[in-house]
């Protein structure tokens, strides 16, 4: 048995737990204490895809369905009132979490993807005409790319892209040049789900506003990981997902500037989004209900509210500091592995994401062998194919961290990577 095998087979002791306010948080997440196979404990390093859920969120969902389950906004009975109050209180919590001026500017959707499609299909359809330009970046997730490609082909729009430098940051000189084309919309990811790069969105928004552009921040990877203040950023739109921030899947958030939301037509038609309906006409409901057609994700919103409380109690600055410690340690340890390249290795403002290749070994093989040792990472293009093309690769393996990960998890990852090397010689 070589050293790596010995290391893998010893019972993993969490000598260095993830502490917040003197309390270890790992026990809060039931999934983290499971074994994926007998004797093989889970090391979950796929939080950029979705986060694990703390007990308090699971309990909130359970209690909601057991005691308060009813449809909202339309019932005059106790359960309907309780469910409505819980749903609307979740909206207040989300508004406070991102420092939105009003909860009426928080629209619940299904996920980040739906939030961005909503903007494209409502604001975009009304405000963009043939020849207008949209400025995105080369590091966008497909969900901030395809909705604009669809609209561009329908409306004859032009798409421009802020280049990504070989180091993995946005080329800000390139950005300023592209602004001279006077785009009508600038839509940028706050943090890359592949490189971990945290983009200077405040500066981007300020510059974009200088040429009269409307701004959209894809905050799917930022709001879960560090404090984001939408009022200070002055973003016109911001989109993120509940499932990446300790909440349930099936709920997303769209923040919008009030006057823009007021002017936008509805996204989908049906119940809830109307005030008065006649056979051939209707009047739209007030914000935010105008954009929430049909029965919304009620339990999911309530669960998200619990997740927001959980994160707020830990403190987002402490969450960010913890992840900074993890990524710093991870980069140091990954450097030890010969033939391993981390994309965005030198990015200064980098969240807890390490995407890498190993010389001569396909990322899917890396992920598969790691999985054999209980280490969950993702392999592929992570819905950012153009970014991978830019780096001349088709796929990477990605380890992504969250508040519950520990330095021990990173040691396990590196031990697993040595195992990969042992197998592939
Ligand atoms: N934007 C970014 C930056 C993302 O990372 C993701 C999801 C989305 C948008 C879409 O979020 P959704 O909730 O609508 O799916 N990112 C990933 C990922 O990196 N692996 O799986 C999903």
């Amino acid at each position: 048995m070589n050293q790596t095998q010995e290391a893998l087979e010893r019972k993993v002791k969490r000598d260095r737990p993830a502490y917040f306010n003197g309390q270890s948080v790992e026990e809060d997440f039931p999934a983290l204490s499971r074994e994926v196979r007998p004797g093989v404990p889970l090391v979950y390093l796929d939080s950029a895809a979705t986060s694990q859920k703390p007990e308090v969120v699971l309990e909130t969902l359970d209690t909601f369905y057991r005691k308060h389950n009813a449809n909202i906004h339309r019932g005059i009975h106790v359960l309907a009132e309780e469910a409505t109050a819980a749903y609307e209180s979740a909206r207040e919590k989300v508004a406070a979490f991102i420092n939105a001026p009003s909860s009426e500017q928080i629209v619940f959707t299904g996920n980040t993807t739906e939030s961005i499609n909503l903007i494209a299909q409502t604001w975009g359809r009304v405000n963009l005409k043939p020849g207008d330009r949209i400025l995105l970046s080369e590091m966008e997730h497909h969900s901030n790319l395809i909705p604009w490609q669809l609209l561009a082909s329908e409306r004859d729009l032009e798409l421009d892209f802020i280049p990504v430098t070989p180091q993995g940051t946005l080329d800000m000189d390139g950005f300023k040049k592209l602004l001279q084309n006077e785009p009508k919309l600038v839509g940028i990811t706050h943090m890359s789900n592949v490189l971990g790069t945290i983009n200077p969105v405040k500066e981007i928004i300020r510059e974009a506003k200088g040429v009269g552009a409307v701004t959209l921040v894809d905050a799917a990877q930022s709001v879960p990981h560090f404090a984001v203040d939408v009022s200070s950023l002055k973003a016109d739109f911001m989109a993120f997902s509940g499932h990446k921030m300790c909440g349930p899947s099936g709920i997303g958030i769209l923040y919008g500037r009030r006057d823009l939301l007021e002017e936008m037509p509805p996204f989908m038609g049906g119940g809830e989004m109307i005030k008065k309906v006649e056979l051939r006409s209707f009047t739209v409901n007030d914000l935010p209900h105008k954009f929430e057609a049909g029965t919304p994700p009620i339990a999911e919103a309530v669960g998200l509210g619990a997740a927001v409380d959980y994160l707020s109690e830990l403190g987002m600055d402490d969450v960010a500091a913890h992840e900074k410690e993890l990524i710093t340690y991870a980069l140091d340890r990954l450097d030890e592995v010969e033939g391993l390249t981390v994309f965005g290795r030198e990015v200064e403002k980098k969240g807890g994401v390490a995407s890498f290749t190993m010389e001569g070994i396909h990322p899917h093989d890396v992920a598969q062998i790691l999985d054999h040792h209980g280490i969950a990472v993702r392999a592929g293009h992570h819905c950012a194919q153009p970014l991978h093309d830019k780096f001349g690769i088709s796929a990477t393996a990605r380890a992504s961290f969250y508040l519950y990960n520990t330095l021990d998890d990173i040691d396990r990852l590196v031990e697993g990577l040595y195992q990969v090397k042992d197998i592939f010689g």
Side-chain angles (χ1 to χ4, degrees):
M1 193 185 277
N2 66 26
Q3 251 190 332
T4 319
Q5 277 166 324
E6 275 176 33
L8 277 171
E9 285 179 19
R10 77 173 179 249
K11 178 107 183 77
V12 174
K13 283 204 283 21
R14 301 211 182 256
D15 295 332
R16 295 163 291 180
Y19 276 124
F20 287 84
N21 311 320
Q23 291 262 316
S24 165
V25 294
E26 288 155 272
E27 295 84 66
D28 294 346
F29 294 82
L32 296 180
S33 61
R34 68 163 281 186
E35 294 183 335
V36 286
R37 274 177 288 284
V40 184
L42 168 69
V43 173
Y44 187 76
L45 300 179
D46 196 18
S47 294
T50 198
S51 73
Q52 293 302 338
K53 319 302 172 198
E55 192 78 60
V56 62
V57 168
L58 303 175
E59 276 169 12
T60 300
L61 288 169
D62 187 70
T63 306
F64 177 81
Y65 278 123
R66 281 176 196 280
K67 294 197 174 157
H68 311 292
N69 179 52
N71 212 330
I72 55 168
H73 295 146
R74 40 180 114 152
I76 311 173
H77 58 76
V78 171
L79 267 63
E81 280 168 10
E82 287 172 356
T84 305
Y87 180 78
E88 290 303 334
S89 143
R91 201 192 302 279
E92 302 274 347
K93 288 175 187 185
V94 170
F97 192 62
I98 59 166
N99 195 28
S102 157
S103 65
E104 289 166 12
Q105 290 164 260
I106 301 295
V107 175
F108 284 138
T109 62
N111 47 39
T112 303
T113 305
E114 187 184 322
S115 297
I116 297 174
N117 277 276
L118 189 161
I119 304 166
Q121 294 300 317
T122 61
W123 179 86
R125 276 193 161 159
V126 169
N127 291 285
L128 301 176
K129 53 183 195 314
D132 281 349
R133 308 191 84 89
I134 293 174
L135 180 55
L136 308 168
S137 86
E138 289 177 342
M139 65 166 81
E140 297 312 307
H141 186 278
H142 295 169
S143 62
N144 193 30
L145 179 59
I146 315 296
W148 304 112
Q149 289 185 3
L150 288 168
L151 191 67
S153 66
E154 184 188 303
R155 291 286 151 111
D156 251 335
L157 311 172
E158 302 292 333
L159 300 179
D160 292 315
F161 298 93
I162 306 173
V164 172
T165 66
Q167 288 71 38
T169 55
L170 291 180
D171 171 357
M172 293 300 281
D173 290 335
F175 165 59
K176 282 167 198 161
K177 272 196 207 116
L178 288 164
L179 270 190
Q180 292 168 6
N181 293 341
E182 300 193 351
K184 292 286 190 297
L185 178 105
V186 175
I188 299 294
T189 186
H190 201 168
M191 177 174 130
S192 162
N193 66 322
V194 176
L195 304 165
T197 309
I198 299 169
N199 290 319
V201 289
K202 192 166 180 170
E203 181 187 343
I204 290 172
I205 290 167
R206 194 181 56 237
E207 301 270 348
K209 281 184 187 296
V211 301
V214 162
T215 54
L216 156 67
V217 176
D218 173 354
Q221 298 292 350
S222 59
V223 168
H225 298 283
F226 51 89
V228 175
D229 180 330
V230 78
S231 297
S232 144
L233 289 180
K234 297 195 165 59
D236 296 320
F237 294 113
M238 193 163 88
F240 52 105
S241 294
H243 70 92
K244 291 186 201 285
M245 51 189 289
C246 297
S249 56
I251 181 138
I253 300 93
L254 169 65
Y255 161 84
R257 212 175 79 198
R258 182 185 282 277
D259 59 323
L260 294 176
L261 292 176
E262 298 276 12
E263 285 164 14
M264 279 152 56
F267 179 37
M268 295 192 287
E272 294 271 338
M273 49 72 69
I274 40 78
K275 257 190 190 150
K276 183 168 188 295
V277 179
E278 288 171 308
L279 281 178
R280 290 189 174 75
S281 64
F282 69 92
T283 53
V284 289
N285 206 341
D286 298 328
L287 289 178
H289 311 293
K290 167 175 152 183
F291 295 109
E292 295 180 358
T295 300
I298 306 167
E300 289 80 355
V302 178
L304 173 62
V308 164
D309 285 342
Y310 180 79
L311 291 173
S312 304
E313 214 163 291
L314 295 183
M316 289 310 290
D317 288 343
D318 287 353
V319 169
H322 177 72
E323 289 181 33
K324 185 79 198 155
E325 188 187 355
L326 292 174
I327 189 67
T328 305
Y329 183 69
L331 293 174
D332 276 353
R333 293 248 34 216
L334 290 171
D335 281 349
E336 290 168 22
V337 183
E338 231 178 281
L340 185 150
T341 306
V342 176
F343 292 84
R345 168 71 181 83
E346 302 307 326
V347 169
E348 208 181 306
K349 287 199 165 166
K350 185 177 168 78
V353 179
S355 297
F356 57 91
T357 53
M358 290 174 85
E359 214 176 330
I361 312 171
H362 196 279
H364 282 108
D365 293 329
V366 174
Q368 198 151 19
I369 293 163
L370 289 178
D371 176 60
H372 187 72
H373 297 291
I375 303 154
V377 301
R378 186 157 289 244
H381 52 57
H382 319 296
C383 295
Q385 217 168 350
L387 180 65
H388 281 72
D389 289 346
K390 173 91 181 188
F391 283 98
I393 45 174
S394 60
T396 49
R398 180 186 70 183
S400 55
F401 312 118
Y402 204 10
L403 56 94
Y404 37 68
N405 287 118
T406 64
L407 301 179
D408 292 327
D409 292 341
I410 292 161
D411 289 343
R412 285 269 313 275
L413 168 69
V414 174
E415 286 161 8
L417 292 173
Y418 279 117
Q419 199 75 23
V420 172
K421 283 179 76 76
D422 279 355
I423 288 169
F424 283 88

